[in-house]
């Protein structure tokens, strides 16, 4: 139930086949050279507990998909060290069991959504450093 391909110099975009793994609990492709936009996430992987796509040398671009909030079991979301731009989706506040949320070292701007306050009971680590948030 784990998929770990971290630190392998993989390049290209995130494969669509990622959405065809319904029993997946951990997906870690950190520290590679992936790029392109993050895909819309299918409802078939709602059991995911950890998603780590951090520290890509080429970097994911575009915005953070709104549908990440579908992952109601997600405890760790690490998208640090990419080139994600735009704002943090307000729907992140609906991720009721999120414990670690790291968006540091991206190109995010605008404001920090007040909906993040809804995670005060579960969130143990929040890192938004090195963006241009207000």
């Amino acid at each position: 139930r784990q998929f770990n391909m971290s630190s392998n110099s993989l390049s290209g975009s995130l494969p669509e086949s990622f959405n065809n793994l319904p029993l997946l609990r951990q997906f870690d492709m950190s520290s590679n050279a992936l790029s392109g936009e993050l895909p819309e996430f299918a409802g078939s992987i709602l059991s995911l507990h950890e998603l780590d796509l951090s520290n890509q040398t080429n970097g994911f671009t575009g915005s953070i998909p709104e549908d990440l909030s579908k992952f109601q079991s997600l405890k760790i979301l690490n998208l640090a060290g990419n080139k994600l731009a735009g704002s943090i989706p307000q729907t992140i506040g609906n991720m009721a069991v999120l414990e670690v949320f790291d968006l540091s070292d991206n190109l995010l701007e605008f404001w920090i959504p007040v909906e993040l306050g809804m995670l005060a009971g579960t969130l143990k680590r929040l890192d938004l450093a090195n963006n241009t948030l207000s």
Side-chain angles (χ1 to χ4, degrees):
R1 297 187 190 197
Q2 297 179 347
F3 181 86
N4 188 334
M5 291 289 287
S6 63
S7 303
N8 276 295
S9 301
L10 298 172
S11 61
S13 59
L14 190 64
E16 289 294 325
S17 58
F18 164 65
N19 284 319
N20 298 325
L21 303 168
L23 300 177
L24 196 63
R25 297 281 189 262
Q26 178 191 28
F27 187 84
D28 186 348
M29 288 189 75
S30 61
S31 302
N32 281 294
L34 298 174
S35 60
E37 293 191 8
L38 290 174
E40 293 295 318
F41 294 97
S44 63
I45 51 171
L46 297 180
S47 61
L48 199 64
H49 289 183
E50 179 180 347
L51 178 60
D52 191 344
L53 298 172
S54 63
N55 302 315
Q56 303 297 325
T57 55
N58 292 335
F60 286 109
T61 58
S63 59
I64 300 168
E66 291 274 339
D67 66 346
L68 274 176
S69 64
K70 289 180 184 176
F71 295 120
Q72 292 298 306
S73 300
L74 199 63
K75 294 183 178 184
I76 299 171
L77 177 56
N78 190 346
L79 300 175
N82 282 288
K83 296 175 184 168
L84 296 170
S87 59
I88 300 170
Q90 296 173 332
T91 54
I92 295 294
N94 298 331
M95 300 174 76
V97 298
L98 194 62
E99 296 176 2
V100 175
F101 186 40
D102 192 342
L103 295 176
S104 61
D105 300 306
N106 276 289
L107 304 172
L108 298 170
E109 54 188 353
F110 305 115
W111 56 89
I112 299 170
V114 296
E115 288 80 4
L116 280 179
M118 295 167 52
L119 303 175
T122 60
L123 202 59
K124 296 176 181 168
R125 193 181 99 201
L126 173 64
D127 193 343
L128 304 174
N130 298 317
N131 286 288
T132 55
L133 296 164
S134 57

